[in-house]
Amino acid sequence: MTANVYITPKQDILDPQGKAVGNALRDLGYNEVTDVRVGRYIILKIDSVDDQDPRQRLEEMCKRLLANINVESYKIEIMED
Amino acid sequence: MTANVYITPKQDILDPQGKAVGNALRDLGYNEVTDVRVGRYIILKIDSVDDQDPRQRLEEMCKRLLANINVESYKIEIMED
């Protein structure tokens, strides 16, 4: 199966990368852009394993490695191939 | 409105960051993970401007700044707030 994980800076956390991208876009003339936040999009291919709940395993992966849960939120989407 | 932009390394392009994340996950015991690709997830808040097609403007932003179209693909999702 395939899992998509979306990781974003939490709403009340400063996002300097997003600020920089927003400034660069406005410098190029895209003045309609009022806010930018930059996160990560991680695509995982996963083998099904008996007796394992893939969502629970992915939650663990996010907490242990993929996201910094102090400052980032994550969303998991699982698709059977 | 809000636009979500998903940027991923193209399928035939090496993704060293994805490889590193995959190795780290397997080191932690998640042996069901067979492949990882790491992209970017960019959330933009955009004012509506008369006579401007937001999708066309976002395509331009991707090509000019947000993505490196030689090695990355992008997908744009627009939502009215």
Side-chain angles (χ1 to χ4, degrees):
Chain A
M1 71 195 82
T2 301
N4 292 335
V5 175
Y6 306 91
I7 296 170
T8 45
K10 283 186 183 170
Q11 209 45 256
D12 47 347
I13 297 285
L14 277 182
D15 174 18
Q17 199 187 351
K19 286 270 171 287
V21 171
N23 290 338
L25 286 171
R26 285 183 293 272
D27 286 348
L28 287 173
Y30 301 105
N31 295 310
E32 70 267 40
V33 176
T34 57
D35 188 58
V36 179
R37 297 184 81 76
V38 177
R40 293 192 303 291
Y41 169 40
I42 305 176
I43 304 151
L44 301 102
K45 298 279 176 194
I46 294 178
D47 284 337
S48 313
V49 179
D50 286 350
D51 305 327
Q52 278 182 3
D53 174 3
R55 180 165 297 272
Q56 189 218 308
R57 301 271 291 179
L58 282 157
E59 293 264 351
E60 261 183 48
M61 293 181 214
C62 284
K63 288 178 186 149
R64 293 180 68 186
L65 187 88
L66 301 178
N68 176 348
I69 57 166
N70 294 305
V71 292
E72 295 175 321
S73 314
Y74 61 86
K75 195 178 75 187
I76 296 168
E77 208 176 72
I78 298 175
M79 289 158 304
E80 300 297 330
D81 293 325
Chain B
M1 72 194 83
T2 300
N4 291 334
V5 175
Y6 306 91
I7 296 171
T8 45
K10 284 187 181 168
Q11 209 44 254
D12 47 347
I13 297 285
L14 278 181
D15 174 19
Q17 198 187 351
K19 287 270 171 286
V21 171
N23 290 338
L25 286 171
R26 284 183 292 272
D27 285 348
L28 287 172
Y30 301 104
N31 295 309
E32 70 267 38
V33 176
T34 58
D35 188 58
V36 179
R37 297 184 81 76
V38 177
R40 294 191 300 291
Y41 170 40
I42 304 176
I43 304 151
L44 301 100
K45 298 281 175 194
I46 293 178
D47 284 338
S48 311
V49 180
D50 285 349
D51 305 325
Q52 278 184 4
D53 174 3
R55 181 167 294 272
Q56 188 218 309
R57 301 271 291 178
L58 281 157
E59 292 265 351
E60 261 182 48
M61 292 181 215
C62 284
K63 288 179 184 148
R64 293 179 68 187
L65 187 88
L66 301 177
N68 176 348
I69 57 165
N70 295 305
V71 293
E72 294 175 322
S73 314
Y74 61 85
K75 196 179 74 188
I76 296 167
E77 209 176 71
I78 299 176
M79 289 157 303
E80 301 297 330
D81 292 326

